[in-house]
Amino acid sequence: MGTAKVTCARCAVGGERYVGTVKDVAIVGGGVVGCAIARELSRYRLDVCLFEREVEVGFGTSKANSGIIHAGHHTTPGTLKADLVWRGNRLWRDLSDDLGFGFLQNGDLTVAFNEEELQTIEEIEEIGVQRGVTGLELWGPDRIHRKEPNVSRDALGALLGPTAAVVNPYEACFALIDDAVDNGLDLRVGAGVDDIEVEGDHLVVFAEGDRTPVRAVINAAGLFADRVSRMVGLDDLVIGARRGEEYLLDRRLAGIVEHTIFPCPTPTSKGVLVIPTFDGTIMVGPTADPVDDKEDLSTTTEGGDQVFERARRLVPGISERDCIAEFAGLRAIAPDDDFVIGPTSVPGFFNVAGIQSPGLTAAPAIAELVVGLLTTSGLDLDPKPELVTPAPRPVRVSELTVPELEMLAFRDCRYAHVVCRCELVTEGEIADAIDRGARSLDGLKFRTRAGMGRCQGGFCTSRCMQLLADAQDVPLSDVTKRGPGSWIVREREEVV
Amino acid sequence: MTGLSVRYDVVIVGGGPAGMSAAIGALEAGADRLLIVDREIEVGGILNQCIHNGFGLHHFGEELTGPEYASRLLEELVGHEIDIATDSYVLDVDALRTVTIASPSTGITRVQAGAVVLAMGARERTRGAIRIPGTRPAGVMTAGLAQKFVNQLGYLPGRRAVILGSGDIGLIMARRLALEDIEVPGVFELMPHANGLTRNIVQCLHDFDIPLHLSTTVVGIEGRDRVEAVTVAPVDDQLQPDLSRTERIECDTLLVSIGLIPENELSAKLGLRLDPTTGGPIVSSTMETSRDGVFAAGNVVHIHDLVDFVSEEALLAGRCAGEFATGSARPADNIHLVPGANVASIVPHTISSDREHTVYLRVRRSMERSWLRLGDVYEKRLRYVVPAEMVSLKVRPRFLEHFHGDSLRIDIEPRDEQGDE
């Protein structure tokens, strides 16, 4: 295994990438799980690459995640999910400190409306305590109404999980992958894996015409993990899709609740939640509907009606009128509803599949588990002596005070040039996001929030497109919403 | 421009027709240190992308295009020493009327305003506001954004476009796309009546053979990366779609033209009282908001159908702001106007009995023949009132000579033919 210096455009320090003719590990799938694994592996002297079929990481199921870092008391005991969720919760905290992405420990509140539900939340508390979840508290109606005056007056009791938090799932993906790349990860986006072959003592990954020999493959392909596993002849993994619709509300409602509000869970679902997102907006959802088509990201009238009706039961002040955007995500579901993580009968091929809720929370714990699996399988994991210092969190002008902004704008006038007015995003932030790898309008949106506010890009879309087009030196017609096929405008065909 | 002064008589937020007209008004009132702040690289606002004609018949007495209308206003400002900060954005206006401005050329600057005129205009309602079910591909955009692409940036939004909503921008864009050889299979309107001006229905749809389907809406969007089709369905009296009668229309673009929302972020930050019906600030007859010295005009107050009326309203706001800044403010209002039967909104919200006022109303539903009644002091006959067209009423001091109350209700009631002719 040789080494090559990879110069990082930002820090110019250069992470060391360990390059051999046969790579050590290929991760298939750049969702939050793949990103967390990539980041963990980038800490070792390994030659690692990650294949993502979308144009940027986190663009599949992860971007549609609710963003909740669960405390862990809601997860069914006796599952692999339950083993990883509390550890994941702890690790996210550290990751956010190390990598500087947003993490807000707002706590969650599971609300009971009748005697039966009161009993259920007591049982959940017990499960949590056994699992080591700290700080759980049962609240009576007075406490609920004092702390959360907008929660329904019909609430009889609630369970507080103070360690629950919220992140922006896409921001977390970008932070993880940026750090992995700085430390030598070979990131291949827009590179869907077409086939994997067993060749002697190693595997060969075929993607977009490239042939990549590797010692180990981590199948973190989410909804398509079954397809990837069939590539090496494993037919036993079946992944289904369960759709969740989420509805994002106007910033006007910011602060209506502080905690993430859960209804009392049923055996099959955590139910519809009222979520204060990291960015201060309110999101309601998700639904949980099994669907056959793994590309079916449609929202439905019934889904929306259900979400608002149920959200209103928890917080009566929530209304459809405040909806500014809706979206759907597909959870990857393995048949027994648990995570499927481990080696397979094909040497070097590992599944990290069926990662549904609380998959975001568990992701860093999953990454640790994968490192353990690779070690057990005989891969030599030798920590790098030195890691590249993580890049600072991108500036968010909307979070600055006027004097802070004044200083920043004095140094770089692009930070005084407002591009997105609803979310107050400046040209400086857009340029920084492009430097960090944004290559589509959605990539800009998820990195900077430009276009995510109440006018939904009505004002900034053309400006963001122009900045992307200028950076890539292409016409506006080559700028896409999220990769090939998602063109936004076309050129006029000149009639001579 | 080189730099901003520390103090201005009037700072105007927004350089569209309302902002420029307000500046003209302020000059007329004798205020001469003026600043207009606009976020685009040139003033004119949305007029700059409205290259069609039909503007100015009332205000200039001739038919102009949007850019022509804007340049007429700008010409009236040329020669006066007013500052125009373009590519600039007002971050904040505080209660003491200190205005914080961000601009790539001047950085972050604070200026002190004698009076402020809010003229930020409106934004378009989006797909999310009406929760259209389906996927989220590229190709779903507001009609105004499509207009910007076509008219200002020189790009086309697609090849075959369905338009949802019969607001004026949607109608204008139906014609604009047809002129660019983009197929428009239809304009679909949820309500049983069109939402745009009658002349636009005729000139933009009828003249181009574009069908308008009333009481019909989009109930589905298909396509992963780019729009592939939409599904439409008729709606019942309660506006609920009948999903047994859907029709699938192949297209690569869906333009939504489903209304405008006054842009009041700054107003909300300033703590102005807002009217939940108009979505804009509550204003007096001088167009002053609930904060002293902060005036508002144009679409930021209520959505207008004609720019000409925006100019009228903004000239008044500018004059009054100028008077406020130079210390010659008018006496306060003494009469509240209260929306009554079939009146959705009234602007201004108060008037005074000593001056003439133009009051703008919007009706809730169409009426062929009606009475407009101002309390019991005045009534007049109206013909064909529709929600899409604003009704204006001149309230003259003589109507109020014998009125001593503090509020007047305005009703628009049906008028039967025999009883009143």
Side-chain angles (χ1 to χ4, degrees):
Chain A
M1 201 188 322
T3 57
K5 274 283 190 202
V6 183
T7 308
C8 164
R10 190 164 52 243
C11 52
V13 172
E16 269 180 297
R17 181 185 289 174
Y18 297 80
V19 183
T21 45
V22 178
K23 284 185 179 284
D24 295 306
V25 183
I27 301 162
V28 182
V32 68
V33 172
C35 292
I37 295 171
R39 198 265 170 176
E40 194 58 34
L41 293 181
S42 71
R43 299 148 68 88
Y44 299 92
R45 291 179 191 262
L46 291 172
D47 184 6
V48 183
C49 60
L50 185 148
F51 295 92
E52 167 54 48
R53 72 167 185 158
E54 299 290 341
V55 72
E56 299 188 41
V57 297
F59 268 29
T61 297
S62 298
K63 76 168 191 291
N65 190 285
S66 303
I68 301 167
I69 302 304
H70 292 280
H73 48 295
H74 287 113
T75 313
T76 321
T79 57
L80 182 54
K81 297 195 284 196
D83 293 344
L84 296 171
V85 62
W86 175 242
R87 173 76 183 150
N89 176 296
R90 305 280 96 190
L91 288 171
W92 273 114
R93 203 169 307 261
D94 299 342
L95 279 173
S96 119
D97 287 344
D98 292 348
L99 303 180
F101 57 83
F103 176 94
L104 176 71
Q105 186 177 324
N106 63 329
D108 67 18
L109 206 56
T110 311
V111 184
F113 289 95
N114 55 45
E115 287 301 324
E116 199 183 323
E117 291 185 348
L118 280 174
Q119 199 172 337
T120 309
I121 59 173
E122 282 180 28
E123 287 162 17
I124 299 172
E125 188 202 16
E126 214 164 293
I127 293 169
V129 169
Q130 282 167 15
R131 197 163 288 156
V133 178
T134 52
L136 294 172
E137 266 177 37
L138 286 165
W139 285 6
D142 291 349
R143 185 94 188 261
I144 300 172
H145 300 141
R146 208 166 52 244
K147 295 280 190 181
E148 288 286 8
N150 294 309
V151 164
S152 170
R153 293 273 153 171
D154 297 334
L156 297 181
L159 174 63
L160 169 76
T163 54
V166 285
V167 298
N168 282 326
Y170 32 83
E171 190 194 354
C173 287
F174 294 138
L176 289 165
I177 210 73
D178 288 355
D179 189 54
V181 169
D182 287 352
N183 284 294
L185 173 76
D186 176 8
L187 173 65
R188 316 231 183 126
V189 286
V193 170
D194 303 315
D195 200 8
I196 302 172
E197 280 176 13
V198 181
E199 215 177 87
D201 65 344
H202 60 267
L203 299 154
V204 182
V205 179
F206 295 87
E208 302 293 310
D210 279 348
R211 179 183 184 283
T212 311
V214 295
R215 288 191 172 78
V217 169
I218 310 292
N219 175 15
L223 290 163
F224 304 98
D226 47 358
R227 190 193 290 172
V228 170
S229 125
R230 278 197 301 275
M231 291 174 185
V232 290
L234 298 169
D235 296 328
D236 51 343
L237 182 67
V238 179
I239 299 296
R242 196 182 289 152
R243 187 172 60 201
E245 299 179 26
E246 303 266 16
Y247 293 79
L248 193 66
L249 309 182
D250 192 286
R251 202 168 267 289
R252 189 181 81 74
L253 289 179
I256 191 169
V257 290
E258 179 197 330
H259 301 84
T260 301
I261 310 295
F262 284 68
C264 201
T266 63
T268 52
S269 164
K270 292 195 188 81
V272 167
L273 324 178
V274 179
I275 307 157
T277 68
F278 177 78
D279 291 310
T281 53
I282 297 287
M283 193 158 80
V284 289
T287 53
D289 299 305
V291 291
D292 295 332
D293 179 359
K294 290 184 184 176
E295 304 271 4
D296 184 1
L297 290 168
S298 48
T299 49
T300 61
T301 307
E302 306 77 58
D305 291 348
Q306 189 191 85
V307 163
F308 281 97
E309 190 204 316
R310 294 187 180 174
R312 245 193 310 273
R313 217 177 286 163
L314 298 172
V315 182
I318 282 176
S319 157
E320 291 84 342
R321 279 197 304 276
D322 289 303
C323 181
I324 59 165
E326 67 277 278
F327 55 89
L330 294 172
R331 308 169 181 89
I333 309 288
D336 64 354
D337 247 334
D338 201 359
F339 297 164
V340 178
I341 302 175
T344 63
S345 56
V346 176
F349 188 88
F350 298 82
N351 278 326
V352 181
I355 311 297
Q356 53 158 312
S357 178
L360 172 73
T361 309
I366 292 173
E368 282 186 343
L369 185 61
V370 167
V371 167
L373 290 171
L374 289 172
T375 312
T376 313
S377 78
L379 201 68
D380 188 16
L381 271 81
D382 181 15
K384 286 177 187 164
E386 211 182 321
L387 292 167
V388 172
T389 312
R393 179 171 187 245
V395 169
R396 284 269 176 103
V397 164
S398 63
E399 293 170 2
L400 301 181
T401 61
V402 171
E404 285 169 344
L405 176 58
E406 220 168 332
M407 287 295 291
L408 179 63
F410 184 72
R411 290 202 307 271
D412 184 344
C413 66
R414 294 175 305 171
Y415 286 96
H417 191 205
V418 175
V419 172
C420 164
R421 61 172 187 227
C422 303
E423 297 295 322
L424 196 63
V425 182
T426 61
E427 185 189 342
E429 292 158 271
I430 301 284
D432 180 48
I434 293 172
D435 280 350
R436 289 176 190 246
R439 59 197 78 203
S440 63
L441 209 52
D442 277 359
L444 275 186
K445 177 166 92 174
F446 291 130
R447 280 181 176 81
T448 66
R449 291 191 63 72
M452 235 184 235
R454 49 175 64 134
C455 93
Q456 288 288 297
F459 172 64
C460 68
T461 293
S462 60
R463 294 179 168 216
C464 290
M465 287 172 70
Q466 195 68 60
L467 291 168
L468 271 171
D470 290 350
Q472 295 167 3
D473 197 20
V474 296
L476 285 191
S477 48
D478 284 1
V479 174
T480 66
K481 179 169 164 60
R482 52 169 170 259
S486 61
W487 55 279
I488 299 159
V489 292
R490 66 181 178 90
E491 292 206 56
R492 214 181 226 118
E493 283 142 22
E494 294 298 338
V495 181
V496 185
Chain B
M1 54 167 280
T2 48
L4 299 176
S5 305
V6 181
R7 289 191 65 86
Y8 289 93
D9 291 336
V10 182
V11 173
I12 298 163
V13 186
M20 286 197 283
S21 302
I24 295 165
L27 289 170
E28 286 174 8
D32 50 9
R33 293 177 305 165
L34 306 186
L35 169 66
I36 299 176
V37 186
D38 194 85
R39 62 183 190 220
E40 297 292 338
I41 50 171
E42 54 184 1
V43 290
I46 295 300
L47 284 173
N48 290 336
Q49 67 184 55
C50 298
I51 61 169
H52 52 284
N53 59 3
F55 301 95
L57 278 169
H58 296 262
H59 191 66
F60 291 109
E62 58 179 306
E63 201 170 24
L64 305 170
T65 64
E68 281 171 342
Y69 190 105
S71 59
R72 288 290 181 91
L73 292 178
L74 190 56
E75 280 163 24
E76 292 185 43
L77 295 173
V78 171
H80 295 277
E81 293 212 357
I82 70 170
D83 284 344
I84 298 182
T86 54
D87 212 9
S88 300
Y89 185 85
V90 172
L91 291 174
D92 187 50
V93 180
D94 71 13
L96 302 170
R97 296 188 295 280
T98 305
V99 182
T100 309
I101 300 163
S103 150
S105 54
T106 53
I108 309 296
T109 318
R110 285 182 202 76
V111 301
Q112 181 59 45
V116 172
V117 181
L118 303 176
M120 292 88 80
R123 64 171 188 272
E124 296 178 278
R125 286 178 82 208
T126 65
R127 170 189 180 176
I130 55 168
R131 294 200 286 126
I132 306 174
T135 53
R136 254 142 298 278
V140 181
M141 64 184 91
T142 60
L145 178 59
Q147 187 176 47
K148 182 169 192 171
F149 282 135
V150 179
N151 291 347
Q152 284 191 297
L153 301 170
Y155 287 88
L156 302 179
R159 292 192 166 76
R160 191 171 150 87
V162 165
I163 298 178
L164 174 63
S166 61
D168 289 308
I169 314 172
L171 302 176
I172 297 284
M173 281 314 291
R175 173 177 65 184
R176 188 71 189 89
L177 297 185
L179 289 169
E180 289 287 347
D181 263 343
I182 296 170
E183 276 180 86
V184 183
V187 174
F188 297 87
E189 170 58 54
L190 176 74
M191 302 303 285
H193 52 81
N195 266 322
L197 299 173
T198 309
R199 70 166 198 222
N200 282 335
I201 305 279
V202 175
Q203 295 172 5
C204 300
L205 300 188
H206 297 178
D207 290 358
F208 288 82
D209 293 326
I210 297 169
L212 170 63
H213 303 273
L214 298 174
S215 296
T216 311
T217 193
V218 173
V219 293
I221 298 173
E222 292 171 42
R224 181 187 191 264
D225 298 320
R226 178 77 196 188
V227 175
E228 286 164 17
V230 300
T231 308
V232 297
V235 298
D236 62 19
D237 297 349
Q238 305 301 308
L239 306 180
Q240 292 305 306
D242 177 356
L243 296 178
S244 65
R245 292 163 61 206
T246 58
E247 186 194 345
R248 183 174 182 276
I249 304 171
E250 283 191 18
C251 58
D252 61 12
T253 306
L254 173 66
L255 298 192
V256 293
S257 173
I258 50 177
L260 299 173
I261 303 171
E263 187 75 81
N264 275 294
E265 257 89 304
L266 271 181
S267 319
K269 262 171 90 179
L270 243 174
L272 300 186
R273 288 183 61 210
L274 300 178
D275 176 339
T277 312
T278 57
I282 289 177
V283 289
S284 69
S285 64
T286 58
M287 299 309 291
E288 191 170 4
T289 66
S290 57
R291 277 216 190 267
D292 285 352
V294 178
F295 297 75
N299 279 351
V300 78
V301 178
H302 58 140
I303 302 303
H304 295 64
D305 0 287
L306 294 179
V307 68
D308 305 70
F309 296 147
V310 167
S311 284
E312 296 303 325
E313 187 179 283
L315 274 171
L316 173 69
R319 264 183 227 126
C320 297
E323 287 168 5
F324 182 95
T326 54
S328 59
R330 301 177 193 206
D333 292 339
N334 55 346
I335 299 171
H336 281 269
L337 297 176
V338 180
N342 197 25
V343 176
S345 61
I346 305 174
V347 171
H349 297 75
T350 57
I351 55 172
S352 67
S353 47
D354 61 334
R355 299 188 299 274
E356 181 178 307
H357 303 284
T358 304
V359 172
Y360 297 103
L361 317 169
R362 217 171 261 285
V363 298
R364 292 186 187 279
R365 56 186 184 280
S366 311
M367 276 184 192
E368 198 170 315
R369 291 157 177 279
S370 58
W371 283 112
L372 184 159
R373 293 199 172 88
L374 175 64
D376 53 9
V377 303
Y378 174 77
E379 62 182 16
K380 84 173 194 184
R381 292 189 178 90
L382 297 176
R383 285 181 72 91
Y384 297 111
V385 294
V386 291
E389 302 198 16
M390 225 157 54
V391 176
S392 70
L393 166 70
K394 284 254 187 286
V395 180
R396 300 177 203 281
R398 64 177 166 82
F399 300 170
L400 303 169
E401 266 170 16
H402 304 293
F403 179 75
H404 301 291
D406 58 8
S407 73
L408 274 172
R409 208 173 112 127
I410 303 183
D411 298 290
I412 294 181
E413 288 164 338
R415 164 167 68 96
D416 73 61
E417 206 158 334
Q418 284 136 11
D420 55 66
E421 293 296 329

